[in-house]
Every structure is written in C-alpha cells, then in structure tokens.
Amino acid sequence: MRLRLTLAVNPRFRVLPLNYQYLVSAWIYQRIAAADERFGDWLHNAGFQQKGKRFKLFTFSTIWVPERQIKGDRLHIRSSNVSLQISFFADKAVEKFILGLFKGQEFEIGDKCSKAEFFVEKVEALPVPEFKPVSTFRCLSPICVAKPFHKGNKLMSEYISPADPDFEQLFFKNLLNKYQVISGGGNEFEYDNPPFTFELLDKPKSRLITIKAGTREETRVRGFLFPFKLTAPVELLRLGYEAGFGEKNSLGFGCVERIQ
C-alpha cells in the first residue's frame, strides 16, 4: 500500500540536513514500534528473511518541498506544507493498522546544527496503479544497486549506475529475491527465462547520500534517479512498486511512481 502524508511545517523550525533519509527511516520505525512494539522490533532486527537475505519491504520518497533553498548541507524549507510518500508491501489484514500509524502525528527531523518540525495534516491511501507486463516508472528516491567484486581475498562492493552492463541482472535478481521471501521460498520466475528487460529512458542523475552522518557508523550510499521501462510479470512490478526497487529500501531508496 502507498500513503501520501501532507505535512504542515513549523515556521520556527524549518531547516533540514540534506542527508535526512536515515532520520525519516528512524521515525517510521518509531511509529511502528509505538503502535506494536513486537512488530516494530521484529521489522527492525529481523524483517523478512530467506537464505541469509533480509528485506524490510517498505520504502519512502524524498520529501517534496515546493519552495526551498539549499545552503551548504542544509535544506531551508520555504513552503508551509510539504509531502512524503511511504510505501509498504502489506496484506489487507494490516492496511488499517498502517494507515493509523501516522495520523495526527507531530515529529521533528534534525541534527546538532538544525531541525525541522512537522505535523501530519493528512494521510491518504493512494490507489494502486494498473500494472502491465511492460510498465514505465520514474524515481521518487534514488535506486541503489551494488556490484560485488574481490579485492585480494576480501569481498567488496561498488554502487553502479543503471548504464552499467551488469545493472539489469543485479536489479532483477534483487527483485526475485524479494519475491522468493514473500512467496515462502518458492519462486516461479527465473531471470534466465525471458521476458525480463530493463530500459533506461534518460541520463541517470547520481546522488551520494550519507547515512548516520557524524557518527562512527557513518556510511555513504550512491543511488541514481532516472525514468525506466521494465518488462516483467505484473506480480514482480507491483512488489517493486510497493516494497522498493534495488537495495536499502527502508533507508529511502528505490521508491518509484508508475507513469503512462
């Protein structure tokens, strides 16, 4: 399910760090834990697992700010209202639970230098778009795909552009791993069997995002923003739309919208 949150901005506190994705992720976990502590702990510490792979199966967009100004590493919000989309792969049984998580909430996002305060004015459940075996998407947050490689005896990874020749295979393998998790280990789809195609529709824009900035756990993740066309079974397209395409979805990567 996909939610759109309309957020009123406190005019006294409206300066965000540019690297706010981890802070939004932490707030989402906090809301889940406040409503159901056991579910929140499980989602944060375990999630959906299959053969050592772990997926949280939710993602979120960047915060849409109609009027803004960027100064250094700060985002100055000039709008009285902003919006955020949050997307969950969830069955009907928990949709009402998720919908009620965010209604009427007040929260702040910031660090030692600045913060922004928000009030959730409105929560909308967005209709699920119609998916066809060939569908076109646009990124609402960067898509992250990592390619493993060996450096001596050490296994490393690098974040790759959608223009990289290995991107398509890694992109679909990640999606198939997610599907294997939700289907209980079974997987009726195989990447080696067509049709699976990825088509990049415009030049990708790189985004380097710092996670846990200013801490010992600080890491940097590179993702890319771009429009793209996929050929794949509709079950997989809907899964990617709701849970996120690529990696690190619960940190705000891989949120997309369907376009005509």
Side-chain angles (χ1 to χ4, degrees), residues 98-166:
I98 292 173
L99 192 60
L101 288 175
F102 306 103
K103 288 183 177 179
Q105 294 300 311
E106 296 183 25
F107 66 102
E108 66 179 48
I109 296 174
D111 56 19
K112 294 178 181 180
C113 298
S114 68
K115 68 178 181 179
E117 292 185 351
F118 303 100
F119 172 74
V120 181
E121 274 191 347
K122 186 177 182 181
V123 181
E124 303 169 81
L126 301 180
V128 178
E130 179 185 358
F131 296 104
K132 299 179 180 180
V134 180
S135 293
T136 305
F137 300 91
R138 174 171 52 226
C139 292
L140 298 179
S141 66
I143 291 179
C144 164
V145 170
K147 178 168 67 175
F149 68 95
H150 283 91
K151 187 175 183 180
N153 294 324
K154 191 174 182 180
L155 182 63
M156 310 281 286
S157 64
E158 61 176 338
Y159 299 111
I160 60 174
S161 161
D164 188 290
D166 292 323

Side-chain angles (χ1 to χ4, degrees), residues 29-49:
Y29 280 122
Q30 182 187 41
R31 291 306 313 137
I32 293 171
D36 189 323
E37 185 174 354
R38 287 181 299 174
F39 180 71
D41 287 344
W42 171 80
L43 184 65
H44 187 273
N45 297 316
F48 298 86
Q49 295 194 58

Side-chain angles (χ1 to χ4, degrees), residues 11 21 35 40 44 59 84 103 150 155 164 170 179 193-194 230:
Q21 284 78 2
H44 187 273
T59 187
L84 171 71
K103 288 183 177 179
H150 283 91
L155 182 63
D164 188 290
L170 293 169
Y179 186 81
N193 295 327
L230 295 181

Side-chain angles (χ1 to χ4, degrees), residues 9 33-34 41 56 85 88 101 132 144 161 182 217 221 248:
V9 185
D41 287 344
K56 304 299 175 61
Q85 290 190 30
F88 294 86
L101 288 175
K132 299 179 180 180
C144 164
S161 161
I182 67 164
E217 294 81 30
V221 179
K248 303 188 184 300

Side-chain angles (χ1 to χ4, degrees), residues 18-29 56-63 84-87 139-144 207-211 221-225 242-256:
L18 284 178
N19 293 293
Y20 60 75
Q21 284 78 2
Y22 175 76
L23 303 172
V24 174
S25 178
W27 174 67
I28 294 172
Y29 280 122
K56 304 299 175 61
L57 300 186
F58 79 86
T59 187
F60 54 91
S61 69
T62 56
I63 298 175
L84 171 71
Q85 290 190 30
I86 307 176
S87 188
C139 292
L140 298 179
S141 66
I143 291 179
C144 164
R207 293 289 184 272
L208 185 63
I209 295 172
T210 303
I211 306 299
V221 179
R222 187 174 297 280
F224 294 83
L225 297 164
E242 293 191 333
F245 286 110
E247 304 176 28
K248 303 188 184 300
N249 304 128
S250 64
L251 288 172
F253 290 87
C255 188
V256 304

